[in-house]
């Protein structure tokens, strides 16, 4: 059985990443947070590789990922995670048919939850 990554191919994953970050750069709440990114093509390639591996593709780069920590470090809050997911879902659905889109978005929500949990104060 092939992975979602293999069924979609790198081009689709790259397209989703590029379109998503194009919207991030103009989003009123997310753009200021992501202003720390200075090399967008490199960042998009990094994230495309991340999604490729999350969706079951074999790594083709030697990248390390600590998604929750990176997003915590730049100040991503649970509310911003919700904004992130609201931007991400329609882009995925535009380029990916169900059930692959559903599975990709399930994984995105899980990642979003881990980011939100790291940035939720303990009482």
């Amino acid at each position: 059985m092939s992975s979602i990554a293999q069924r979609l191919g790198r081009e689709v994953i790259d397209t989703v990443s590029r379109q998503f970050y194009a919207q991030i750069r103009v989003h009123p709440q997310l753009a200021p947070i992501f202003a720390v990114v200075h090399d967008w093509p490199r960042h998009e390639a990094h994230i495309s590789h991340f999604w490729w591996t999350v969706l079951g593709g074999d790594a083709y780069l030697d990248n390390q990922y600590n998604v929750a920590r990176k997003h915590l470090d730049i100040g991503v809050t649970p509310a911003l995670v919700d904004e992130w997911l609201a931007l991400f879902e329609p882009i995925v659905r535009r380029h990916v048919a169900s059930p692959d889109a559903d599975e990709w978005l399930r994984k995105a929500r899980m990642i979003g939850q881990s980011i939100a949990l790291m940035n939720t104060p303990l009482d």
Side-chain angles (χ1 to χ4, degrees):
M1 180 191 236
S2 64
S3 69
I4 295 171
Q6 291 167 325
R7 287 192 298 275
L8 298 180
R10 285 175 47 188
E11 185 176 325
V12 169
I13 294 170
D14 289 347
T15 297
V16 168
S17 293
R18 280 192 313 275
Q19 288 186 6
F20 175 67
Y21 283 106
Q23 288 192 18
I24 286 282
R25 289 193 291 274
V26 297
H27 189 277
Q29 288 82 35
L30 294 170
I33 296 294
F34 282 88
V36 299
V37 176
H38 298 290
D39 185 346
W40 280 104
R42 183 171 183 263
H43 183 72
E44 291 164 359
H46 182 75
I47 299 305
S48 290
H49 181 261
F50 167 78
W51 281 120
W52 174 260
T53 59
V54 166
L55 297 173
D58 293 331
Y60 55 87
L61 298 173
D62 188 25
N63 290 348
Q64 300 296 314
Y65 302 100
N66 189 344
V67 177
R69 168 56 55 194
K70 290 280 189 183
H71 287 82
L72 178 64
D73 289 348
I74 64 170
V76 174
T77 64
L80 292 174
V81 169
D82 291 341
E83 293 290 327
W84 181 91
L85 290 168
L87 278 180
F88 193 62
E89 182 169 356
I91 295 168
V92 170
R93 293 207 181 277
R94 186 176 317 127
H95 295 283
V96 180
S98 292
D100 289 340
D102 298 332
E103 182 61 17
W104 189 346
L105 292 166
R106 184 187 70 75
K107 290 175 184 295
R109 284 189 288 277
M110 287 175 51
I111 291 165
Q113 287 174 346
S114 71
I115 293 167
L117 285 173
M118 277 196 79
N119 205 352
T120 301
L122 299 174
D123 291 329

